[in-house]
Amino acid sequence: MGWRRLAPILSLALLVGLWAVAAELAASRSLPGPAAVLSVLVREAADGALFHHLGITLARMAAAFIIAMSIGSALGILLGRSATADRLFGLWLTVFLNIPALVVIVLAYVWFGLTEAAAVGAVAVNKIPNVVVVLREGTRAIDEQYVEMARTFRMARSDVLRHVLLPQLTPYFAAAARSGLALIWKIVLVVELLGRSDGVGFQIHLYFQMFDVAGILAYTVAFVAVVQLLELCVLQPVEQRLTRWRPVRAEA
């Protein structure tokens, strides 16, 4: 096993070791050690609760992620390609970027009720402005020489989008997706804490009411692990495949 693969494992082992030492020194229920958290994880997994709540939260994440990426990407490309649209709606983007996520969630529940649609919609609305910003900047960075060449050869607009614009935007899609995944799962937990009766956020709130820190950490560790697996097994392979046409940068 090379150093490149060994380094993350050693880093994780160091983190767990420091956690264990800190828990031993604290000797308090407020900071349970890795063994206590693992015990809760095994118990929750054995009775199926862990997988049920993880599945519910992942479903909400997926729905919000698809909505945010679809709408945000379309708007970002539009604002990046049209100076008029950017002047008209640039201020809107600034406003939505600065509205706290908590405000959006509360308003969604007040206006639409404690429904699944309101929960998913609130998460998506919080993420859309970030996607718009990333894709707008990516669209502005497109090499116009390729666009002009496509026009010279009278390529159809769909072909220009597919073969000229999208390949150059792929790194920006990947950046928006990666940052979006990190942001969305945090907001989903707040949505579940405030107005849902299941999911990881609901469970964390339940354990908070019982002052069970081991339970809180167990669900946190489980969900962070799942999100990391999505990053390693889905996002990174897809990004590598889509950007395989780019020259490989030599490592220092």
Side-chain angles (χ1 to χ4, degrees), residues 15 103 114 155 163 165 250:
L15 178 61
V103 173
L114 300 176
M155 294 177 64
H163 298 293
L165 298 182

Side-chain angles (χ1 to χ4, degrees), residues 100-124:
L102 183 61
V103 173
V104 175
I105 295 168
V106 170
L107 289 177
Y109 280 149
V110 170
W111 289 339
F112 305 109
L114 300 176
T115 64
E116 198 68 29
V120 172
V123 178

Side-chain angles (χ1 to χ4, degrees), residues 12 22 31 33 38 50 65 70 90-91 96 114 151 156 180 194:
L12 180 60
L31 184 58
L38 180 60
L50 178 66
F65 181 82
S70 301
L91 179 61
F96 280 102
L114 300 176
R151 289 173 180 169
L194 291 176

Side-chain angles (χ1 to χ4, degrees), residues 34-35 45-46 55 60 77 109 132 138 155 157 164 173 182 196 208 231 233 238:
R60 290 176 182 139
I77 294 173
Y109 280 149
V132 173
M155 294 177 64
R157 287 189 176 182
V164 178
F173 280 115
R196 307 311 300 146
F208 166 72
E231 165 75 18
C233 301
V238 169

